[in-house]
Amino acid sequence: ADAVVLGAKVTGYSQSLDGVSAQITHADGRVEDVAGTLLIGADGIHSKVRAQMHPQQPPIHWGGAIMWRGTVRAKPLRTGSSFVGLGTHRHRIVFYPISAPDADGLAEINWIAEVTVDPSHGWQQDGWFRPVEIADFAHHFADFRYDWLDVPAMLQGADCAYENPMIDRDPLETWVSGRVALMGDAAHPMYPTGSNGASQAIVDGRVLGAMMLEHGVTQDALAAYDAKLCAPISAVQLRNRGAGPFGLLNLLDARCGGVFDDIDAVIPPEERAEFMAGYKAAAGFAMEALNAAPPTIAPGARLG
Ligand SMILES: Cc1cc2nc3c(=O)[nH]c(=O)nc-3n(C[C@H](O)[C@H](O)[C@H](O)COP(=O)(O)OP(=O)(O)OC[C@H]3O[C@@H](n4cnc5c(N)ncnc54)[C@H](O)[C@@H]3O)c2cc1C
């Protein structure tokens, strides 16, 4: 239980040949140096550890996308767990159920409404996350009415709505400096295009553990972790600034303005399959290879 200390913030670190020390400020104002063999900065997109490791890093990057997010009780569509994406990569709504339906057939639905604007004036709000009224943004989606779905009505029924700009940071050349490493969003904050930010943070932890089993709790373990993940995940960060799977909807929009009777006549099934296969290969969603691979850390493995 004493491994987790709440209400404490790392403000910086210092390291020597023998060890590393993290400067911690506690909630009551007490300042403490905590010494160790290695320091892993897992302190998110505003990471203090990263800021010290890379003092020249540019500020947070915002490409102009604004997301409004919330939940609503509604009937889940198609399979009952289908992910629905409507519009284009610059003007879209995405939603999917996050609960099983109740006896009344209604489930909790998570929705994300998004538009991309000119980012040249920078983000004008104070924070990165704030509650908003539905009326503040629903007009962008007034035309999203279909015989099978009324998006404005769905938004009106929402329990809550929050505004987030879509932000990330430029990739780093390295996540490691001697005895200090970054992981998760501290290492690679990325757009949620492939829904893979948190998943990658978990993979980082697994790979870091595997490297410690191989090299011990040493700087070599951190260097091996960096060598394995930093370059390929940096490429994913940049790729996530693109349209991802929404490229297919952009194509549909370009060919017919999104209005069609027969989807196969607009984008033939083979072309759709080829597009999605290309995205999955680029994003590393190699399901069969992953399922056939041995676990990153063998069950029961422990450091000696
Ligand atoms: C709108 C949105 C949608 C997303 N959708 C998805 C998705 O569908 N799928 C997916 O996989 N990912 C998604 N992500 C990304 C995902 O949330 C992050 O990648 C993930 O939370 C990163 O985990 P982390 O532990 O590295 O960082 P965080 O979750 O940010 O945790 C960092 C922790 O460090 C603490 N901390 C901060 N500063 C300090 C300090 N100085 N000292 C000590 N502690 C500190 C914070 O309090 C926090 O607890 C989404 C993100 C956003 C914003």
Side-chain angles (χ1 to χ4, degrees):
D2 60 355
V4 177
V5 179
L6 299 178
K9 289 203 164 203
V10 64
T11 53
Y13 62 84
S14 52
Q15 57 177 326
S16 66
L17 287 178
D18 303 327
V20 58
S21 169
Q23 282 95 57
I24 309 287
T25 302
H26 291 273
D28 60 8
R30 196 162 36 90
V31 178
E32 186 186 16
D33 275 349
V34 179
T37 311
L38 302 177
L39 171 67
I40 313 298
D43 47 346
I45 189 168
H46 305 289
S47 169
K48 289 281 190 291
V49 178
R50 176 182 171 124
Q52 178 169 339
M53 190 186 290
H54 296 282
Q56 307 301 330
Q57 70 170 343
I60 280 182
H61 162 262
W62 174 55
I66 308 172
M67 295 182 288
W68 297 279
R69 302 170 66 97
T71 54
V72 62
R73 283 188 61 72
K75 192 170 172 300
L77 294 170
R78 295 182 67 116
T79 65
S81 57
S82 295
F83 175 106
V84 179
L86 297 166
T88 65
H89 144 238
R90 298 175 67 83
H91 181 195
R92 63 181 158 183
I93 186 139
V94 167
F95 58 95
Y96 44 87
I98 52 173
S99 77
D102 285 339
D104 58 6
L106 302 182
E108 202 72 40
I109 308 280
N110 185 205
W111 52 263
I112 302 129
E114 183 186 324
V115 296
T116 298
V117 300
D118 175 5
S120 55
H121 297 296
W123 182 245
Q124 299 293 313
Q125 305 291 345
D126 281 346
W128 306 105
F129 187 87
R130 66 180 184 117
V132 288
E133 299 297 327
I134 302 291
D136 293 348
F137 65 90
H139 56 278
H140 293 292
F141 303 93
D143 294 340
F144 282 50
R145 289 180 205 270
Y146 313 94
D147 51 5
W148 55 280
L149 173 73
D150 184 333
V151 169
M154 183 178 85
L155 292 177
Q156 283 311 324
D159 311 320
C160 57
Y162 295 93
E163 182 182 80
N164 291 120
M166 201 188 303
I167 50 175
D168 68 357
R169 285 189 186 275
D170 290 343
L172 296 172
E173 280 177 12
T174 174
W175 300 341
V176 170
S177 164
R179 295 175 176 278
V180 184
L182 305 172
M183 66 174 280
D185 274 13
H188 47 67
M190 57 177 88
Y191 285 178
T193 306
S195 300
N196 42 356
S199 324
Q200 187 58 47
I202 293 165
V203 174
D204 295 352
R206 302 286 294 170
V207 171
L208 203 45
M211 295 303 118
M212 286 189 192
L213 283 168
E214 201 175 321
H215 300 279
V217 183
T218 62
Q219 296 186 53
D220 287 350
L222 300 190
Y225 155 78
D226 200 35
K228 200 172 171 66
L229 291 185
C230 182
I233 303 311
S234 296
V236 173
Q237 260 179 294
L238 292 179
R239 196 177 300 124
N240 274 4
R241 287 181 181 172
F246 266 78
L248 199 55
L249 292 187
N250 291 348
L251 193 62
L252 184 75
D253 191 59
R255 288 191 186 166
C256 67
V259 180
F260 58 89
D261 289 322
D262 177 8
I263 182 68
D264 292 350
V266 186
I267 312 180
E270 309 75 51
E271 192 180 352
R272 300 201 299 268
E274 200 182 328
F275 178 94
M276 290 311 288
Y279 175 74
K280 287 177 187 171
F285 294 166
M287 192 161 63
E288 291 79 15
L290 183 66
N291 287 341
T296 308
I297 295 179
R302 287 283 177 275
L303 274 169

